[in-house]
Amino acid sequence: MYTETFQLSNGLTIPQLGLGTWLLNDEQAQQAVHDAISIGYRHIDTAQAYNNETGVGEGIRAAGVAREELFITTKIIAEAKTYDEATQSIDESLAKMGLDYIDLMIIHSPQPWKEFREQKRYFDENRDVWRALEDAYEAGKVKAIGLSNFLQDDIENILASSKIKPMVNQILAHVSNTPLELIEFCQQHDILVEAYSPIAHGAVLHHPEVKVMSENYGVSVAQLCLRYCIQLGLVVIPKTAKPDHMRMNAELDFVISDEHMENLKNVAHIQDYGEHSYFPVFSGK
């Protein structure tokens, strides 16, 4: 079981490997979270937009592990762009999960999903949402605060007015789509980068070059992709509801050579994410 951790800028410890729960309903999320914690996972990632926070909370309680041993992340819905909406959103997540505190709460997107990567940037609105997160942090409702899908100028907007700087930026990052400049910018500002969909939501599994390399290492394509992100210094949160995949995703005791890391950084960009291409983050917007 891969158990390496990072320290956030406020000193909080975060496991480098977590379980993602996107596209799981409450019942599926409850079982997946219970299974993952039983296997040894201590980092669980959800979001208000996933509509499964209740199931995640039930899975946490059913697993029977002390709360302080777990790291739970959720995200303010992308459409909440006022201070009051964000404050209400935070309280709703606490209530749905039945938790006294959330380890990490992040803004899910700088723009509402219907306007993702469009011209309106919501700079003023995101500063208001960030202020709500700062207040929740100071009140002890959340232990760490961060961002998701924020580009460099989105982050600079928050840094320019924040009392507490972002501790995390969670972004789409995987073999064939690695925003290295954004990652470097975040790391220079002591903002930990988390990679969601680190296995490209399955789109990379049949990539010929990646498949051959994984066979050379005697690992699966998924394991190679996770190890790639780990060696870039990223947190990885692969989503699965299958215990066998959870176990395999946690077997990462190998090292990709520098040469192969460079090769993976330059793998041709995935142009088509198949059935998931309609989601804003995969649409190429």
Side-chain angles (χ1 to χ4, degrees), residues 10 30 47 52 86 100 105 159 165 179-180 217 243 271 285:
N10 68 343
Q30 177 182 356
N52 63 14
D100 294 327
M105 190 111 193
L159 290 173
K165 73 177 185 178
L180 294 170
Y217 280 94
Q271 300 298 322
K285 290 176 70 174

Side-chain angles (χ1 to χ4, degrees), residues 35 39 81 85 89 99 107 142 151 167 172 177 198 208 227:
D35 290 341
I39 288 166
K81 290 301 178 195
E85 287 172 344
S89 191
L99 300 178
I107 305 173
V142 298
L151 301 176
M167 298 158 195
L172 179 65
N177 184 1
R227 185 70 205 187

Side-chain angles (χ1 to χ4, degrees), residues 164-181:
I164 303 165
K165 73 177 185 178
M167 298 158 195
V168 161
N169 189 26
Q170 188 180 115
I171 60 174
L172 179 65
H174 56 74
V175 172
S176 80
N177 184 1
T178 313
L180 294 170
E181 289 185 9

